[in-house]
Amino acid sequence: MKIICIGRNYTEHIAELANERPKDPVVFLKPDTAVLLKGQPFFIPDFSQDVHHEVEVLVRINRIGKHIQPKFAHKYYDEIGLGIDFTARDVQQQLKEKGLPWEKAKGFDGAAVIGKWLPKSQCSAVDALSFSLEKNGQLVQQGTTAHMLWGIDELIGYVSQFFTLKIGDVLFTGTPAGVGPVAPNDVLVGQLEGEEMFRIKVK
Ligand code: ZN
């Protein structure tokens, strides 16, 4: 199983990190060992002093496909989820400055939170899903997939030009504004369409 992630897919988040608006989606991968095991706390790795939460809508691929046309992309997933793309921001910043790949900042153990899955049929239109992240009971990130620069079906079309999508692959679709640091004892709760999708303790 592979984890394909999209960076810079919401305008306000691009602005908060002072990034350029990309011409094409920014794509990176996380290894399967990045998945935070169910029921486990997230341990802040000792190589970072600034790990940020990025709440993101997830899609689980249920058919093998390559060069998928966006108009057919909806046939390749039937579950929607919510997760966190944990990012060692200080490490990422150093890598970015040198033009180096981001894996050390994004692909470490536990850096991919994958919450529960909802059948797509249970969601309203996938291009208007509302989601949020609370940290210790305070709302820190809130978004709607309506504000994506590239929608889910376009993203599937785009990434499948480069990578064959396989059953069980997970697509992280980018984070809205409000990313910020996590600290030991934080509790992170993600909601999609008003339903709790994960609850993570930070250690
Ligand atoms: Zn992200």
Side-chain angles (χ1 to χ4, degrees):
M1 165 262 201
K2 61 185 170 292
I3 302 167
I4 305 171
C5 304
I6 304 299
R8 302 178 198 167
N9 199 25
Y10 290 85
T11 321
E12 309 83 26
H13 173 60
I14 294 171
E16 76 181 347
L17 292 187
N19 284 319
E20 276 174 51
R21 186 191 173 97
K23 280 189 215 70
D24 295 305
V26 173
V27 178
F28 59 95
L29 302 179
K30 293 184 191 255
D32 58 3
T33 46
V35 176
L36 185 67
L37 297 175
K38 287 269 179 274
Q40 293 295 306
F42 171 72
F43 287 91
I44 297 174
D46 51 17
F47 56 76
S48 175
Q49 316 314 317
D50 194 26
V51 172
H52 281 197
H53 54 74
E54 297 191 353
V55 70
E56 311 201 358
V57 170
L58 313 182
V59 172
R60 181 149 69 179
I61 299 300
N62 69 346
R63 280 174 69 178
I64 192 162
K66 188 173 172 63
H67 293 298
I68 300 162
Q69 290 181 48
K71 65 180 173 184
F72 298 125
H74 65 96
K75 297 173 187 271
Y76 288 80
Y77 62 100
D78 56 12
E79 288 177 301
I80 306 281
L82 194 73
I84 298 178
D85 165 21
F86 275 121
T87 303
R89 194 70 72 202
D90 45 357
V91 177
Q92 186 194 30
Q93 196 53 42
Q94 291 167 7
L95 295 169
K96 265 178 165 174
E97 282 164 12
K98 295 179 185 155
L100 294 170
W102 294 356
E103 275 78 1
K104 288 193 287 183
K106 295 275 201 181
F108 56 89
D109 289 3
V113 172
I114 297 177
K116 68 176 185 183
W117 295 99
L118 297 180
K120 189 167 64 176
S121 56
Q122 199 183 310
C123 300
S124 49
V126 296
D127 55 1
L129 296 169
S130 61
F131 60 100
S132 65
L133 183 74
E134 283 185 3
K135 184 170 82 173
N136 307 326
Q138 302 263 30
L139 183 66
V140 285
Q141 288 194 267
Q142 191 169 33
T144 163
T145 55
H147 292 164
M148 288 178 164
L149 296 179
W150 291 275
I152 290 171
D153 292 351
E154 288 173 290
L155 292 174
I156 288 174
Y158 185 78
V159 298
S160 70
Q161 297 175 78
F162 303 95
F163 311 116
T164 295
L165 300 184
K166 294 173 74 177
I167 294 167
D169 288 349
V170 174
L171 178 67
F172 277 63
T173 61
T175 195
V179 301
V182 296
N185 301 316
D186 282 349
V187 176
L188 300 168
V189 177
Q191 292 199 340
L192 177 69
E193 297 284 90
E195 184 152 345
E196 184 172 312
M197 303 294 281
F198 60 78
R199 178 176 289 266
I200 302 294
K201 178 112 192 217
V202 178
K203 295 213 168 177

